């Protein structure tokens, strides 16, 4: 199996490549690391045009069976809509995986009819316990291993999984997917509690999101310390806005910005 790696946001750390290639080889897969992954244009892994060109190239390459996003950061929103408009029959035959900032692409591609999944990315191999994260992602891409999946998923309830800040910024845009009848898994990292509160206010205030079956909360890690206590922790914040909006709170979810992050396919 040939898996292409592109960086739609920030550059990939070269140290992550050797680790990921070894884990892929152990599962009988080949990683094709696009040279664009190592470009630098300010914050980004190349200009918008370069990142979009690399992504559409691997999307339309018939020899590639899956596209694995290199890492998060910021930037995929700048090319997501254009990439979704470039979908070809070859692109529809692939699985696309990532999380964090890549959530913009997951949303846009799912809406365009592609097979996408929230899951660990190549850069995660550098985290403590990173090889297990890579094995989980590759287990789904290569073998469709159910052991890689978030354990609370139910076959009769299709799911989405997003970083909360990404979700808050994509609702109301042209790439917003249909949340109706789905469970929505959320996670966050390195935010103030008041920012989580603000994001939840915005997300749950959307009529489209209020059509979701339920919300489950993943890990909200590395919470930043404000100059005065906010007064509610992330769990209380999520529960508050679920109650206000009338969206069912479905409990916890095993996703987050860490090596324990699980796979969530965006089933149709």
């Amino acid at each position: 199996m040939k898996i292409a790696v592109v960086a739609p946001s920030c550059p990939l750390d070269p140290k992550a490549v050797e680790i990921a290639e070894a884990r892929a080889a152990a599962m009988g897969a080949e990683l094709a690391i696009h040279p664009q992954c190592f470009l630098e244009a300010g914050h980004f892994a190349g200009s918008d045009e370069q990142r979009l060109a690399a992504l559409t190239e691997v999307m339309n390459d018939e020899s590639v069976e899956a596209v694995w996003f290199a890492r998060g950061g910021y930037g995929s929103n700048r090319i997501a809509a254009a990439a979704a408009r470039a979908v070809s029959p070859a692109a529809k035959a692939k699985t696309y995986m990532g999380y964090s900032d890549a959530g913009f692409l997951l949303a846009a591609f799912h809406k365009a009819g592609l097979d996408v999944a929230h899951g660990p990315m190549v850069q995660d191999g550098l985290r403590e316990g990173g090889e297990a994260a890579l094995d989980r992602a590759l287990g789904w891409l290569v073998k469709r291993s159910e052991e890689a999946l978030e354990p609370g998923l139910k076959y009769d309830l299709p799911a989405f999984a997003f970083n909360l800040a990404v979700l808050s910024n994509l609702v109301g845009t042209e790439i917003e997917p249909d949340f109706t009848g789905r469970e929505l898994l959320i996670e966050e990292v390195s935010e103030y509690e008041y920012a989580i509160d603000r994001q939840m206010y915005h997300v749950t205030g959307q009529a489209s999101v209020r059509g979701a079956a339920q919300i489950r909360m993943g890990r909200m890690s590395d919470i930043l310390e404000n100059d005065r206590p906010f007064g509610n922790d992330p769990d209380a914040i999520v529960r508050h806005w679920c109650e206000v909006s009338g969206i069912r709170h479905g409990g916890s979810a095993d996703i987050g910005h860490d090596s324990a992050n699980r796979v969530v396919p965006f089933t149709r």
Side-chain angles (χ1 to χ4, degrees):
M1 180 178 187
K2 183 177 179 181
I3 302 171
V5 176
V6 289
S9 303
C10 299
L12 175 64
D13 189 326
K15 296 192 294 291
V17 173
E18 184 176 350
I19 300 169
E21 287 180 332
R23 302 317 303 164
M27 292 200 187
E30 170 196 359
L31 293 190
I33 311 292
H34 198 287
Q36 171 271 327
C37 291
F38 309 108
L39 297 180
E40 295 187 20
H43 174 87
F44 307 106
S47 66
D48 289 353
E49 292 77 15
Q50 289 172 316
R51 299 193 326 279
L52 177 61
L55 178 54
T56 55
E57 177 187 333
V58 299
M59 288 170 63
N60 298 315
D61 185 343
E62 294 184 354
S63 71
V64 170
E65 296 178 63
V67 175
W68 198 8
F69 302 128
R71 59 162 297 169
Y74 170 74
S76 72
N77 60 303
R78 297 168 63 103
I79 63 173
R85 289 192 290 269
V87 167
S88 66
K92 290 185 176 181
K94 298 172 176 53
T95 299
Y96 302 79
M97 178 176 284
Y99 73 106
S100 187
D101 184 76
F104 290 108
L105 288 169
L106 300 183
F109 284 4
H110 174 80
K111 190 171 183 178
L114 304 186
D115 176 26
V116 305
H118 159 109
M121 296 181 286
V122 177
Q123 184 89 358
D124 286 322
L126 297 178
R127 296 182 186 272
E128 183 177 353
E131 288 192 354
L134 298 182
D135 287 350
R136 204 175 301 118
L138 290 162
W140 181 253
L141 291 174
V142 178
K143 302 178 180 180
R144 286 296 191 266
S145 170
E146 294 194 4
E147 293 181 1
L149 297 178
E150 199 283 326
L153 296 178
K154 299 179 176 60
Y155 291 106
D156 60 344
L157 189 60
F160 288 151
F162 290 104
N163 170 265
L164 181 57
V166 168
L167 177 63
S168 182
N169 281 280
L170 73 81
V171 292
T173 71
E174 65 180 298
I175 64 172
E176 178 184 353
D178 184 1
F179 298 99
T180 305
R182 292 182 174 271
E183 71 166 352
L184 181 56
L185 282 60
I186 56 173
E187 55 84 20
E188 191 52 275
V189 64
S190 299
E191 288 282 7
Y192 293 102
E193 288 166 337
Y194 72 79
I196 294 171
D197 188 80
R198 181 168 54 205
Q199 291 161 3
M200 284 298 300
Y201 160 75
H202 181 233
V203 167
T204 61
Q206 305 298 310
S208 57
V209 177
R210 290 187 177 189
Q214 64 179 22
I215 288 176
R216 283 199 286 136
M217 192 183 90
R219 289 176 289 282
M220 297 199 172
S221 55
D222 298 328
I223 300 299
L224 302 178
E225 185 175 349
N226 196 26
D227 57 351
R228 60 184 299 146
F230 182 67
N232 287 302
D233 64 15
D235 182 69
I237 292 168
V238 172
R239 290 182 182 278
H240 169 78
W241 289 111
C242 283
E243 182 178 356
V244 169
S245 63
I247 303 173
R248 182 178 184 273
H249 190 294
S252 63
D254 193 6
I255 62 171
H257 268 70
D258 51 43
S259 60
N261 189 26
R262 309 287 289 198
V263 174
V264 180
F266 287 21
T267 48
R268 305 209 66 80

